[in-house]
Amino acid sequence: GLEAALKYFLLGALAAAFFLYGTALHYGATGSLLAGTPGPCPRWVVERTFAWLGRNRRLAKDYEANPRVSEAWVYLGMLRLLVKRLARAA
């Protein structure tokens, strides 16, 4: 009756809460909801990339009012870095 329905409702809610909590823990630890995926980039990789981008005069400070222009300068800065690497390797 009512007691069994309440018991199954509470058990279902508890199971859903554990599932969501576990999913949140997994996503926080790996950065992905897929199982078996590697974790996020180490912090030094991100810091090094920002340092490379900071060598470009236009990217050293945020001068642009439009975010799309700033994004374009980031693409140009990374393109410049890649072209320099390819030229050095050839």
Side-chain angles (χ1 to χ4, degrees), residues 75-90:
Y75 282 129
L76 286 172
M78 290 307 291
L79 181 66
R80 179 178 166 257
L81 178 70
L82 290 175
V83 167
K84 281 176 62 176
R85 283 186 179 182
L86 287 173
R88 189 176 32 192

Side-chain angles (χ1 to χ4, degrees), residues 26-84:
H26 180 71
Y27 182 77
T30 63
S32 174
L33 290 177
L34 302 174
T37 55
C41 289
R43 182 182 177 100
W44 63 269
V45 173
V46 177
E47 300 276 337
R48 181 185 61 194
T49 304
F50 284 147
W52 286 336
L53 287 173
R55 291 181 185 170
N56 296 309
R57 186 176 61 86
R58 291 290 295 258
L59 295 173
K61 300 284 185 217
D62 190 19
Y63 294 115
E64 311 300 333
N66 189 351
R68 289 185 179 181
V69 176
S70 293
E71 181 182 6
W73 280 109
V74 168
Y75 282 129
L76 286 172
M78 290 307 291
L79 181 66
R80 179 178 166 257
L81 178 70
L82 290 175
V83 167
K84 281 176 62 176

